[in-house]
Amino acid sequence: MNNNANKIKSSQNHLLIGLTGGIGSGKSTVATLFEQHGTRIIDTDEISRSLTSAGGKAIPRILGVFGADFIDSAGALNRSKMREFVFANSTAKAKLEAILHPLILEQAKQATSTPSTAPYTFVVIPLLFESQSYRDWLHWTLVVDCAEKIQLARTMQRNGVDKALVESIMAQQISRSQRLALADDIIRNDGDLPSLSAQVDLLHVRYLNKANGSD
């Protein structure tokens, strides 16, 4: 979003920063560290879970497109079954994204329009660069990056899934090199928590300056 940098300086709008990174890179940890500085965090994964929970806005359309087999007994999306299905079927994945992505964007925009005392807002978007929908809305982007072998290990441990599934998910995301080339800022998350916190502290000062129009 480099072409929007001047807009940040001249606009009175609340500063919106897209936070992204590959699976297992540590986006949630980075978001939590920024939140400790008083930053507002809007997580599109949380929005997606709300949309696909029992009574969620996306459930009727998912039911109509994919059928009752993908809805659990509580009336929510059967996430594990859908995950396995869409990662083996690109057409199904596109259909699911066509249902969810517009609804997620709509609710994210509603959330950011709510008045806040936070100096700036992070919108956590795992597929930020894969989607064209967010690019003209956000002012800046921050990528959380780590080695791919670390992504694999973290995701396998966190989600209890095998290596092949994680590799399949990673293969359907934008490549690490492409993601880094598109980033306005990068946080490295190959080290320990103190190192990560130090990077967050430095960027927080920078973003405060941006929010005040002094950077």
Side-chain angles (χ1 to χ4, degrees):
M1 310 335 175
N2 289 305
N3 60 336
N4 285 330
N6 291 331
K7 180 180 176 183
I8 298 169
K9 297 176 183 178
S10 61
S11 175
Q12 296 302 311
N13 291 340
H14 186 78
L15 176 60
L16 300 178
I17 304 169
L19 176 62
T20 192
I23 187 171
S25 60
K27 296 181 292 298
S28 295
T29 301
V30 169
T32 297
L33 291 171
F34 273 105
E35 192 170 29
Q36 291 170 3
H37 284 290
T39 306
R40 180 170 60 173
I41 305 295
I42 295 169
D43 191 333
T44 59
D45 273 349
E46 292 182 4
I47 293 174
S48 178
R49 284 191 287 272
S50 174
L51 289 168
T52 56
S53 63
K57 194 172 181 179
I59 292 299
R61 290 192 61 191
I62 291 172
L63 181 62
V65 172
F66 293 96
D69 287 347
F70 290 92
I71 307 299
D72 66 21
S73 58
L77 175 68
N78 186 323
R79 301 180 197 283
S80 59
K81 186 170 184 177
M82 181 64 81
R83 185 186 305 114
E84 292 178 7
F85 181 58
V86 299
F87 279 116
N89 186 323
S90 59
T91 300
K93 181 173 181 285
K95 289 180 179 179
L96 182 63
E97 289 175 348
I99 294 170
L100 290 178
H101 286 186
L103 293 173
I104 292 170
L105 178 60
E106 175 189 5
Q107 295 206 4
K109 286 186 174 181
Q110 288 177 355
T112 59
S113 68
T114 303
S116 173
T117 58
Y120 58 92
T121 294
F122 267 112
V123 186
V124 185
I125 310 167
L127 300 179
L128 170 57
F129 295 130
E130 288 84 347
S131 172
Q132 299 294 322
S133 302
Y134 298 93
R135 299 196 179 193
D136 294 330
W137 175 48
L138 299 169
H139 301 117
W140 205 253
T141 60
L142 172 61
V143 165
V144 184
D145 179 61
C146 66
E148 291 180 350
K149 64 180 181 181
I150 295 177
Q151 287 182 254
L152 276 168
R154 285 176 180 160
T155 307
M156 290 168 63
Q157 181 178 23
R158 179 188 67 194
N159 296 355
V161 295
D162 61 27
K163 182 179 179 181
L165 178 58
V166 181
E167 288 178 332
S168 173
I169 295 171
M170 290 172 64
Q172 294 188 44
Q173 294 183 337
I174 195 172
S175 71
R176 182 186 182 193
S177 61
Q178 289 175 301
R179 190 182 297 115
L180 294 176
L182 291 167
D184 291 314
D185 282 320
I186 299 166
I187 277 185
R188 306 288 181 186
N189 190 22
D190 296 295
D192 56 18
L193 186 59
S195 172
L196 190 64
S197 296
Q199 294 177 76
V200 167
D201 292 346
L202 288 172
L203 281 174
H204 173 62
V205 174
R206 181 180 184 190
Y207 295 151
L208 285 177
N209 290 333
K210 281 189 175 297
N212 294 327
S214 57
D215 180 27

